[in-house]
Amino acid sequence: MRQLVCKNFTEFKTYEGKDLPVGAWLTVTQDMINAFAEATQDYQWVHVDLERIEKESPFKKPIAHGFLSVSLLSKMLMDLVHIESMDMGVNYGLNKVRFPSPVLVDSRLRLHSTIKKIEPYTDNGLKITWACTVEIDNVDKPACVAEFVSLMFEDR
């Protein structure tokens, strides 16, 4: 996996409108699904009840929470972009989020993304809109399609 490395925000801004390298594969395990259920208190049976899933689910395997897929965007983007002068980044929001295909346990996911828009935000910050598609290995439809909006702040 390649990573986009920029010295500072000035260099990073030259990538507006451009695709990032394709991300590395990440496997969604049952431990991840269980931890997400614990953190969000969302214990719906399709995620965590292995006996019931085997008997009643059309998928016959646990599926990850849709919000687990979208929650991975931060990590996946951080793996793809490094700005040496950046002090911190925070989530700002999401636009147009969809979950076209369920993520079965032990599926491999990877990110395809574009830096859609970069705007100034305070005197040392940027607001970035990322166009993101989370691919599932060997599945036609993606796990998640979203515009992810983040803020980044540069060292002063």
Side-chain angles (χ1 to χ4, degrees), residues 37 41-49 63 65:
Q41 299 295 291
D42 179 354
Y43 295 104
Q44 193 190 42
W45 68 270
V46 297
H47 307 301
V48 296
D49 187 337
I63 60 172
H65 305 72

Side-chain angles (χ1 to χ4, degrees), residues 29-151:
T29 65
Q30 188 63 48
D31 286 343
M32 289 170 69
I33 294 169
N34 292 346
F36 194 85
E38 181 71 27
T40 61
Q41 299 295 291
D42 179 354
Y43 295 104
Q44 193 190 42
W45 68 270
V46 297
H47 307 301
V48 296
D49 187 337
L50 302 181
E51 276 186 33
R52 187 170 177 190
I53 289 165
E54 195 173 296
K55 292 177 188 169
E56 298 179 37
S57 169
F59 307 109
K60 301 301 180 200
K61 292 176 84 174
I63 60 172
H65 305 72
F67 288 117
L68 172 57
S69 300
V70 81
S71 295
L72 291 170
L73 291 176
S74 293
K75 183 249 188 299
M76 291 174 157
L77 285 167
M78 286 179 56
D79 287 349
L80 290 178
V81 176
H82 176 73
I83 304 168
E84 293 171 1
S85 66
M86 189 175 94
D87 186 36
M88 69 174 210
V90 295
N91 298 336
Y92 188 82
L94 296 159
N95 302 324
K96 304 177 188 174
V97 179
R98 297 290 180 268
F99 306 109
S101 185
V103 175
L104 302 178
V105 69
D106 298 323
S107 293
R108 293 184 337 140
L109 307 179
R110 69 178 173 181
L111 180 64
H112 297 261
S113 56
T114 301
I115 302 169
K116 188 172 178 179
K117 188 174 187 180
I118 300 173
E119 304 169 83
Y121 188 87
T122 70
D123 62 336
N124 69 325
L126 297 175
K127 181 166 78 169
I128 302 95
T129 303
W130 315 82
C132 299
T133 300
V134 178
E135 173 189 8
I136 307 171
D137 194 17
N138 295 313
V139 176
D140 291 336
K141 292 182 179 178
C144 177
V145 178
E147 284 185 3
F148 180 73
V149 185
S150 65
L151 303 177

